[in-house]
Amino acid sequence: MENFKVNTNLSKWGNSLATRIPKNIIKKLNLRDNQDIEVSVKDNSIILTPVHKKPGNIHELFENWQDDGKRERELDWGKSKGNELQW
C-alpha cells in the first residue's frame, strides 16, 4: 500500500477534539460510516487502526448477504465425510 501524508486540523467537538479523515484515505482503507477505530500512541505519534469485528452470531455473519436468486432448493454437498450433523 502506498503511503499517504495529509495535513488536517483539530477542532473542538463537545469536550473533545476531532479531525476529519480525507476521502482518498477512507476509500483506500475501505472504511465506512461509524467504523470502530482503535486509537493508540507510539513514539509520540497517534495511530488510528480500523477494528474489524468478527460476527458474534449467524445474523451478524450474514447481515449484508444478498441472495443471487440462482438456487431454487438447498445445495447437496454430498455424503458426510467427517463429524457433520445429520439432518
Side-chain angles (χ1 to χ4, degrees):
M1 178 186 292
E2 61 187 86
N3 292 325
F4 285 96
K5 192 171 192 176
V6 179
N7 289 330
T8 185
N9 66 342
L10 292 174
S11 302
K12 186 88 168 152
W13 191 29
N15 291 328
S16 301
L17 294 176
T19 192
R20 294 178 187 251
I21 300 172
K23 184 178 180 178
N24 61 338
I25 293 175
I26 298 292
K27 188 174 180 179
K28 183 74 173 174
L29 296 176
N30 295 317
L31 299 176
R32 63 185 190 283
D33 189 27
N34 291 317
Q35 169 97 38
D36 286 333
I37 302 288
E38 176 183 85
V39 180
S40 56
V41 176
K42 182 177 180 183
D43 299 327
N44 219 23
S45 293
I46 300 169
I47 301 168
L48 304 175
T49 306
V51 175
H52 300 288
K53 293 182 181 176
K54 293 183 179 180
N57 57 49
I58 191 110
H59 301 290
E60 291 176 3
L61 178 64
F62 289 102
E63 70 183 344
N64 295 319
W65 182 75
Q66 295 181 1
D67 188 2
D68 59 10
K70 293 183 179 180
R71 290 167 298 285
E72 296 178 8
R73 60 188 179 284
E74 291 183 16
L75 296 174
D76 181 3
W77 295 96
K79 293 184 178 183
S80 297
K81 294 184 179 182
N83 295 323
E84 295 92 339
L85 295 174
Q86 297 300 319
W87 292 96

